[in-house]
Amino acid sequence: MRLELIKRGNPSRALQFLSPLIGLALAVVTGAIMFAILGKDPLAALYVYFVEPLTELWSVHELLIKAAPLILMGAGLSVCYLSNNWNIGAEGQFIMGALAGSIFPVLFTDLQTPFVLPLMMVFAIVGGALWAGIPALLKAKFNTNEILVSLMLVYVAELILDYLVRGPWRNPGGMNFPESVRFHSFARIPELMPADGRANWGIVIAIVVAIAIWVMLSRTLKGFEIKVLGTSPRAGKFAGFDAKKMIFFSFLLAGACAGLAGIIEVAGASAQLRPIISPGYGFTAIIVAFLGRLNPLGVIVAGLVLALTYLGGEAAQISLGLSDKVARVFQGALLLYILACDTLIHYRIRFARAPKASGSVADA
């Protein structure tokens, strides 16, 4: 017996719309079972995980801080995936964008003018885009696997960051801790409501960028080109669209969004570089993109939901004494269920007998 997937002729539109909600519900059920196995009351644990982080204003601010990079990277990755280019290295592009944008507050500490922050953002966008351009170039010129290249570059970026904060960029007055100098006020993203919490204008930037990408995808010829090449490269070729140019466009756009997310993170809540500046935002953004149905407007909602899992994981550590890996388990289950739901909506499963070997083959 063997398992076969048979493409459905007319997949249900209602189920396609409900797929993320079904996946989320299944992930919640899985979470409840996991909490029960760990010896915790499932309902109380789910309350701590999903509701408690929203009961105080300062916690909502933290939610917005974590959602900003997820929304930015999720929107950029949506363009990659819609065009059938599989960028798995947003985490590395996030780091390189943060490093490129931090050149000014770290190396030019005396340069304190209102132009510093815009320059940091421009450098971060360029840094993230250039790092994403490496797998794009290798795929376009040598047909290398962009999944492997972009993923391996994540670890290269992490090592570069670690080297810099422990070496040339380490704060001379930081008691030998591996961190850069604190960013001055001109290199910080202003907070939205300083009296209530730390949330800054990064969340506004993220939402504006996501809306701009949505407009591009739904209202412009470039958006049509992205969808055609992603769905049918052969049809795109007949329409005169260049698949290799699309590789560069999608990767550079996603890298630019990730780089911008990186500088928003370090110039916002962190205010300095450390060996670890991301809890895995780049990989979580992949889940955000698919949970949002590769639609930048859906990505905004998905980014808030996944940001809540980070806060819930922290609350579960404090209130329930659980491991910080709980959030990763939930995020992984969510991605698994979403992909499984999408697969079953578009394909049906059939069990078929394995073909018998011919007489000549059997004799041989």
Side-chain angles (χ1 to χ4, degrees), residues 41-216:
D41 180 6
L43 292 179
L46 289 174
Y47 176 84
V48 169
Y49 200 92
F50 290 105
V51 180
E52 187 176 285
L54 302 176
T55 56
E56 297 186 38
L57 187 56
W58 70 268
S59 188
V60 175
H61 277 254
E62 296 301 312
L63 176 73
L64 297 179
I65 290 174
K66 295 183 182 299
L70 294 177
I71 293 171
L72 268 172
M73 287 189 282
L77 290 177
S78 295
V79 176
C80 272
Y81 301 155
L82 283 171
S83 64
N84 203 27
N85 291 296
W86 300 97
N87 180 5
I88 310 297
E91 181 83 354
Q93 295 144 30
F94 175 95
I95 293 172
M96 295 308 293
L99 289 176
S102 299
I103 289 174
F104 291 98
V106 172
L107 300 183
F108 303 98
T109 54
D110 294 332
L111 184 61
Q112 300 187 19
T113 71
F115 298 105
V116 170
L117 186 58
L119 284 172
M120 290 168 61
M121 291 186 174
V122 171
F123 270 58
I125 290 170
V126 173
L130 290 177
W131 200 249
I134 298 174
L137 177 65
L138 293 176
K139 179 180 181 180
K141 298 298 183 182
F142 306 105
N143 198 31
T144 57
N145 188 305
E146 73 274 25
I147 296 176
L148 295 177
V149 176
S150 60
L151 180 60
M152 292 300 100
L153 284 173
V154 172
Y155 303 106
V156 177
E158 289 176 344
L159 291 173
I160 292 174
L161 169 64
D162 190 78
Y163 164 73
L164 288 175
V165 296
R166 295 179 188 277
W169 287 12
R170 185 166 57 185
N171 182 7
M175 305 293 292
N176 213 31
F177 284 102
E179 59 187 21
S180 72
V181 296
R182 297 280 296 180
F183 293 1
H184 53 75
S185 59
F186 288 103
R188 298 286 304 276
I189 298 177
E191 295 177 348
L192 287 172
M193 295 180 287
D196 299 319
R198 301 190 302 162
N200 54 58
W201 284 89
I203 184 65
V204 177
I205 296 172
I207 292 174
V208 169
V209 170
I211 293 174
I213 293 176
W214 173 79
V215 171
M216 184 267 291

Side-chain angles (χ1 to χ4, degrees), residues 26-28 30-35 38 49 284 287 306 309-310 313 323-337:
L26 291 172
V28 170
T30 301
I33 295 172
M34 177 180 64
F35 289 134
L38 294 173
Y49 200 92
T284 306
I287 306 175
L306 268 297
T309 66
Y310 279 112
S323 167
D324 60 345
K325 301 299 186 292
V326 170
R328 295 293 182 88
V329 172
F330 182 83
Q331 292 168 2
L334 181 57
L335 179 60
L336 171 65
Y337 287 130

Side-chain angles (χ1 to χ4, degrees), residues 217-264:
L217 288 173
S218 60
R219 297 289 188 271
T220 68
L221 178 61
K222 178 59 72 174
F224 177 72
E225 179 184 350
I226 290 169
K227 294 173 183 177
V228 169
L229 286 172
T231 305
S232 175
R234 181 179 174 83
K237 183 177 180 180
F238 281 118
F241 299 144
D242 191 325
K244 289 189 176 181
K245 288 183 179 179
M246 181 52 63
I247 294 173
F248 283 102
F249 175 82
S250 60
F251 266 91
L252 293 179
L253 178 60
C257 289
L260 181 58
I263 200 60
I264 285 176

